[in-house]
Amino acid sequence: MRDVFNDQLDQMIGDLASICDDVRTAVHDATVALLTGDAAVAERVISADEAIDAARERVEETAFSLLLLQQPVARDLRTIVSALRMVSELERMGDLSVHVAKVARLRVPHVAVPDDVRPTIERMAEVAETMVSEVRRVIARRDVAAAIALGRADEEMDQLRRRSFTQLLSEDWPHGVEAAVDLALLGRYYERIADHAVSIAHRVVFVVTGEDPRSVEV
């Protein structure tokens, strides 16, 4: 029975890592749609979100089954409870990618991001996508050092967010209210993807160590 239980736990962790792959693809494709004005790519991101939602349901079903039938304790219990929270955050990251894709679709046939703002948005997207990839590694390997290091990428995202606000609030902003609103929303979406990545990484630290990640040194 113990071997079966461990196999189910490993499968659940594998499912979380697989969802990370789907989320990374969503972030990437949503950004492509945003920066090219490609409506077909935007629609693909929006449609693919159903698969992420379905994967979340599968992880939840496995977790609830394990809680009910196995009555786990200690690290096993932390793993299952944390998995429930992590899969919810991964789904939310997918939703945020959909929001980016919808901004892109709304502005077709035009591109939503003005040329002079493009470098900031490109970098925000790159950081977000990298953080999702790192989260996958953190989950799959239970890598505490990588989990804690992820916070440094989030610091860059915060700096980029501030830069975007500086741009859109400048007195000589030439692109009007509509573009300013788009930029404010996009910055928030990418920032929240990064925030969720850090939150998931912190949960992995808790699973492995049983301690508050803020108190763990590596």
Side-chain angles (χ1 to χ4, degrees):
M1 284 293 293
R2 184 67 189 177
D3 289 342
V4 172
F5 175 67
N6 287 334
D7 287 346
Q8 289 174 312
L9 276 182
D10 288 343
Q11 180 60 53
M12 186 173 62
I13 297 301
D15 288 343
L16 288 172
S18 179
I19 296 171
C20 285
D21 290 335
D22 293 339
V23 170
R24 189 201 61 78
T25 298
V27 173
H28 175 81
D29 288 353
T31 302
V32 169
L34 180 69
L35 297 177
T36 64
D38 192 322
V41 175
E43 291 293 349
R44 186 169 71 217
V45 174
I46 295 165
S47 299
D49 192 54
E50 292 183 5
I52 295 176
D53 294 343
R56 173 193 173 169
E57 292 177 2
R58 289 195 298 272
V59 169
E60 288 178 339
E61 288 173 1
T62 300
F64 289 136
S65 176
L66 291 173
L67 287 171
L68 179 63
L69 300 177
Q70 303 293 341
Q71 298 182 336
V73 296
R75 179 170 173 171
D76 291 340
L77 179 60
R78 294 199 304 270
T79 298
I80 296 169
V81 172
S82 294
L84 285 168
R85 294 182 176 179
M86 286 190 284
V87 77
S88 178
E89 300 210 52
L90 286 169
E91 184 196 34
R92 183 58 185 147
M93 293 160 81
D95 291 342
L96 289 161
S97 301
V98 168
H99 293 337
V100 172
K102 287 183 176 179
V103 171
R105 185 179 65 178
L106 182 65
R107 302 305 173 207
V108 171
H110 304 291
V111 175
V113 180
D115 287 343
D116 55 334
V117 182
R118 189 182 182 98
T120 301
I121 294 299
E122 285 179 334
R123 183 56 188 162
M124 292 183 86
E126 183 180 352
V127 171
E129 186 176 342
T130 299
M131 291 181 74
V132 177
S133 296
E134 281 298 298
V135 161
R136 188 200 192 286
R137 185 163 74 91
V138 166
I139 291 173
R141 300 182 183 179
R142 280 80 149 182
D143 190 331
V144 171
I148 293 173
L150 201 60
R152 289 193 284 273
D154 191 46
E155 291 174 5
E156 181 181 358
M157 181 66 83
D158 291 340
Q159 293 171 358
L160 290 164
R161 176 82 163 131
R162 288 192 291 271
R163 182 192 301 171
S164 71
F165 267 120
T166 299
Q167 290 175 294
L168 68 90
L169 294 176
S170 65
E171 292 183 358
D172 58 349
W173 173 256
H175 305 294
V177 173
E178 187 177 86
V181 171
D182 284 347
L183 182 60
L185 290 173
L186 291 166
R188 180 59 175 165
Y189 298 152
Y190 285 118
E191 180 187 44
R192 288 300 297 150
I193 289 170
D195 289 344
H196 285 298
V198 171
S199 180
I200 292 170
H202 284 174
R203 296 191 193 283
V204 172
V205 174
F206 175 69
V207 167
V208 174
T209 68
E211 299 178 12
D212 186 327
R214 291 168 295 184
S215 67
V216 176
E217 296 183 0
V218 295

